[in-house]
Amino acid sequence: MATPLTASRVLAALRAEGVSVVEVGSWRTHNRAGHGAWGPVAGVVVHHTVTSGTAASVAICRDGYAGLPGPLCHGVIDKRGVVHLVGWGRANHAGSGDGDVLKAVIAEKALPAPNENDTDGNARFYGFECVNLGDGKDPWPAVQLEAMVRASAALCRAHGWSAASVIGHKEWTNTKTDPRGFGMADFRARVAARLRKAPGTDTPTVPSQEDTVPNPSMLNESNTTDVELPSGEWVGLAFTDPVVHSGPRLHNTLVHVSLEEEAPDDALVEGRFYLTDTSGKNPSAYQTVTRHGGGGHQFALSGTVPAGKHLRFQLRVRTPDASPVTLVHRTATGPYWTAA
Ligand SMILES: [Zn+2]
């Protein structure tokens, strides 16, 4: 067990681990001093809030409610992966639990199933309340889980603890079911992996959107079938359309077209990306990029595609004499993510 970190020290440890932190009011001195011990500490307890919405969740965890005064944890971790520090010192989060579990945490050994509630957990554990309804359906966004892993790892690293010092509330007492929706063994494995890295060796998780995007598939299509483009008409290029999503995603899509070299130099070549719904209807605003002449042209898109939208591309050529131009080759490359 260890002397609790000071407020300044925990703030520095969280930031060094790449966690985005919001300091809520007088969190450094908001605690349950006078209602029991604080320290020595042995580990970290992870909870779900059974609430929704960041502001409401932070408020209740700071202030508590009738019968259970706040703070109800040290940090609230929202769905975007931001840690809101609401208190420091003794907090009403772990409550009574099993002394045999505490012994296992101190020894960093496998946990026995809790079957007694004979030990004051609020004196021994840091606590993170993580915003989730706890109904087994409310999702745990990747950025939130990553922030939970990093916040836990930050405390373990500061104390020289292993991931075995991180437990779920339901592992502390048989009277609780939180956190629900992910496995604590998997969670500890992620904390352990995090601890094997030096802090600050990679970029912070939030609020960068790229970090929400694991393992994209790669669109890499090439088509050499000639397509005659009538002058002045938009033509959709029939790439595979894999772009259906479960949420906002960052795209970096590159379309390359090759027109017949004989096309006039003053031919106007326009390309545009746009979004439609899954039935191909309700097109978004277009962003048209203009090129000139025959040969190769590239069109790039960087941006997000909301849930349920398809990304599409169209090409239009205008020639001075309204003659058609032949498209001889086209490719599309870029990452994409299919619906979960
Ligand atoms: Zn809990």
Side-chain angles (χ1 to χ4, degrees), residues 173-254:
T173 170
N174 56 8
T175 65
K176 296 290 180 177
T177 60
D178 62 317
R180 189 168 172 210
F182 60 90
M184 283 307 299
D186 290 345
F187 188 81
R188 276 187 285 273
R190 288 189 60 179
V191 173
R194 180 76 210 163
L195 287 169
R196 286 193 289 273
K197 297 181 190 172
T201 52
D202 54 5
T203 52
T205 47
V206 286
S208 162
Q209 199 146 21
E210 290 93 318
D211 284 301
T212 68
V213 181
N215 304 324
S217 304
M218 290 304 293
L219 175 65
N220 189 358
E221 279 202 14
S222 191
N223 191 323
T224 55
T225 308
D226 282 2
V227 176
E228 187 173 274
L229 303 171
S231 180
E233 281 187 35
W234 285 106
V235 175
L237 296 190
F239 296 110
T240 302
D241 189 13
V243 193
V244 187
H245 301 281
S246 56
R249 294 291 189 246
L250 188 79
H251 272 257
N252 294 288
T253 304
L254 193 64

Side-chain angles (χ1 to χ4, degrees), residues 45-48 93-94 128-129 169-170 176-179:
V45 173
V46 175
H47 306 260
H48 65 224
H93 73 97
F128 291 112
E129 284 283 359
H169 199 185
K170 64 188 175 191
K176 296 290 180 177
T177 60
D178 62 317

Side-chain angles (χ1 to χ4, degrees), residues 86-273:
V86 296
W88 200 246
R90 183 181 173 89
N92 274 331
H93 73 97
S96 297
D98 194 324
D100 295 328
V101 172
L102 178 61
K103 282 188 194 123
V105 170
I106 292 168
E108 302 200 306
K109 289 184 173 158
L111 302 171
N115 57 11
E116 291 181 286
N117 293 293
D118 57 1
T119 300
D120 173 17
N122 295 335
R124 304 285 166 249
F125 291 99
Y126 302 106
F128 291 112
E129 284 283 359
C130 308
V131 177
N132 190 280
L133 291 171
D135 58 3
K137 295 174 191 160
D138 191 10
W140 291 91
V143 284
Q144 185 183 26
L145 280 169
E146 177 68 12
M148 291 157 62
V149 166
R150 289 186 183 223
S152 301
L155 295 174
C156 291
R157 197 190 297 279
H159 283 295
W161 295 335
S162 78
S165 290
V166 181
I167 65 174
H169 199 185
K170 64 188 175 191
E171 294 175 307
W172 173 237
T173 170
N174 56 8
T175 65
K176 296 290 180 177
T177 60
D178 62 317
R180 189 168 172 210
F182 60 90
M184 283 307 299
D186 290 345
F187 188 81
R188 276 187 285 273
R190 288 189 60 179
V191 173
R194 180 76 210 163
L195 287 169
R196 286 193 289 273
K197 297 181 190 172
T201 52
D202 54 5
T203 52
T205 47
V206 286
S208 162
Q209 199 146 21
E210 290 93 318
D211 284 301
T212 68
V213 181
N215 304 324
S217 304
M218 290 304 293
L219 175 65
N220 189 358
E221 279 202 14
S222 191
N223 191 323
T224 55
T225 308
D226 282 2
V227 176
E228 187 173 274
L229 303 171
S231 180
E233 281 187 35
W234 285 106
V235 175
L237 296 190
F239 296 110
T240 302
D241 189 13
V243 193
V244 187
H245 301 281
S246 56
R249 294 291 189 246
L250 188 79
H251 272 257
N252 294 288
T253 304
L254 193 64
V255 170
H256 183 273
V257 297
S258 292
L259 303 174
E260 58 178 318
E261 296 290 345
E262 298 78 2
D265 287 339
D266 55 355
L268 191 69
V269 180
E270 297 168 291
R272 65 186 185 186
F273 292 96

